[in-house]
Amino acid sequence: MSELRISDADRDRVADRLRFAAGEGRLSSDELEERLEAAFTARTDAELAPLTADLPVPAAGVPEPRGLARRLPARPDFGPYVGVSVMLVAIWALTGMGYFWPIWPILGWGSSFVFTGSLGGPCRRRSSNLASSTARWPSSAAAGPGSGEQLR
């Protein structure tokens, strides 16, 4: 290793790797505390290298887990949800702080995060099989009397 100065990002990367190793049971809590202290006081690459030298190298192509916020997939509607919630509470506070009515839209929209899961994946596809219960039938206007279209 070199005597190059390291950045806060380098220290954080080593700290994340140490925490991950402790979570796997490779380091005791005392060892973790000692190594984290050494990582955050390190000034060069040469001081960081021995802290992870006895830990296995992560597999190629498999990123090491980082903090909790980095593990959960980001929902594109979470930012607007927080923004609108803060705005509603601000309106409530500026208009006299009576009955806390913002709770209803906050809970209503917030329930989508709980009931759809943290992944927020796509909805189930409809079946293209006409015999299935999700098949689409012609509208009543299109299949009405005199329309010339017959139901199957």
Side-chain angles (χ1 to χ4, degrees):
M1 282 284 123
S2 66
E3 290 297 320
L4 291 176
R5 305 274 288 180
I6 57 173
S7 67
D8 288 337
D10 295 328
R11 290 182 194 93
D12 289 340
R13 190 171 29 261
V14 169
D16 286 342
R17 187 165 175 205
L18 292 170
R19 287 186 193 107
F20 184 68
E24 288 184 324
R26 297 182 192 277
L27 298 174
S28 69
S29 59
D30 291 335
E31 267 184 308
L32 174 64
E33 189 175 324
E34 289 171 15
R35 290 185 188 202
L36 284 175
E37 186 177 327
F40 288 123
T41 58
R43 288 184 276 167
T44 64
D45 268 342
E47 294 175 43
L48 279 183
L51 300 176
T52 57
D54 61 341
L55 298 175
V57 177
V62 179
E64 277 190 66
R66 304 265 317 201
L68 180 61
R70 292 180 183 99
R71 275 188 235 151
L72 296 176
R75 293 263 315 247
D77 56 342
F78 188 71
Y81 166 73
V82 171
V84 169
S85 298
V86 168
M87 182 187 66
L88 290 174
V89 172
I91 291 170
W92 168 78
L94 291 172
T95 58
M97 297 176 49
Y99 173 72
F100 188 67
W101 56 266
I103 191 69
W104 301 114
I106 290 170
L107 286 177
W109 192 355
S111 67
S112 71
F113 295 103
V114 175
F115 296 121
T116 59
S118 62
L119 296 177
C123 295
R124 183 175 54 97
R125 285 188 63 206
R126 294 191 96 152
S127 173
S128 60
N129 182 1
L130 292 177
S132 74
S133 63
T134 60
R136 296 182 182 207
W137 293 94
S139 68
S140 58
S147 66
E149 188 176 338
Q150 296 180 354
L151 294 175
R152 296 178 202 197

